[in-house]
Amino acid sequence: MAEYEACILGLRLAVDMGVQKVLVMGDSDLLVHQIQGEWETRDLKLIPYRQCLYELCQRFQSVEFRHIPRIHNEVVDTLATLASMLHHPDKAYVDPLQIQVRDQHAYCNTVEEEFDGEPWFHEIMEYIRMGVYPVQATDDQKRAIR
């Protein structure tokens, strides 16, 4: 049901923004095949959602649904989480979401150089090698090092 709700919210936002062509990507194989009419909707609770999606699709020039396998769904999970948190009041403008694909993890871009000139993981390596915490370490820092 959550997949249907996220899809409905996304399509309503697209309608409000005047979008004419939509590509809906999701990891719910069931939703994609049901909305395309390839599979029937047997669960009575899902029928109103499917009907609402069908009616929303009629408001676009073109709508394409594409299934993304769960193994490739990091972006889909992130967008679904964002969609579930977004409240869209009437007549509000929503900035387009811009996604950047990086060749390394995000935390690598946020680690700043340490004041002592040592790499950020120096205390961790010292703890592993010597088994002792830095003298000035707080309890929280010790827990992080551990």
Side-chain angles (χ1 to χ4, degrees):
M1 213 175 320
E3 294 92 356
Y4 272 94
E5 290 171 347
C7 189
I8 289 169
L9 177 62
L11 288 177
R12 283 187 178 157
L13 285 171
V15 166
D16 291 349
M17 293 169 58
V19 174
Q20 294 298 310
K21 296 181 180 181
V22 178
L23 169 62
V24 179
M25 298 188 303
D27 62 0
S28 172
D29 203 25
L30 179 68
L31 181 141
V32 171
H33 288 291
Q34 285 180 343
I35 197 63
Q36 290 177 335
E38 297 168 1
W39 295 354
E40 66 181 75
T41 307
R42 293 183 183 171
D43 188 344
L44 296 177
K45 293 181 285 190
L46 296 180
I47 291 174
Y49 289 101
R50 185 181 178 277
Q51 183 61 33
C52 181
L53 272 176
Y54 179 77
E55 290 169 6
L56 279 170
C57 288
Q58 302 306 308
R59 300 176 72 178
F60 296 97
Q61 226 174 45
S62 108
V63 178
E64 180 185 346
F65 286 85
R66 194 175 298 165
H67 176 250
I68 305 296
R70 290 196 187 272
I71 196 162
H72 302 293
N73 75 349
E74 293 108 3
V75 173
V76 175
D77 284 343
T78 303
L79 291 174
T81 301
L82 288 171
S84 69
M85 297 182 331
L86 186 63
H87 298 287
H88 179 60
D90 293 332
K91 297 183 178 141
Y93 177 76
V94 177
D95 288 325
L97 186 65
Q98 299 202 2
I99 300 172
Q100 296 178 348
V101 178
R102 302 286 179 146
D103 59 348
Q104 60 186 5
H105 295 287
Y107 62 80
C108 295
N109 297 320
T110 61
V111 175
E112 297 177 5
E113 188 175 327
E114 296 289 329
F115 296 115
D116 60 5
E118 298 289 345
W120 65 270
F121 54 85
H122 175 73
E123 286 87 7
I124 297 170
M125 294 303 293
E126 285 296 306
Y127 176 75
I128 292 170
R129 192 166 54 87
M130 306 283 284
V132 293
Y133 297 107
V135 177
Q136 74 282 5
T138 65
D139 288 339
D140 286 340
Q141 290 169 333
K142 290 177 182 178
R143 193 175 311 116
I145 290 172
R146 236 189 349 266

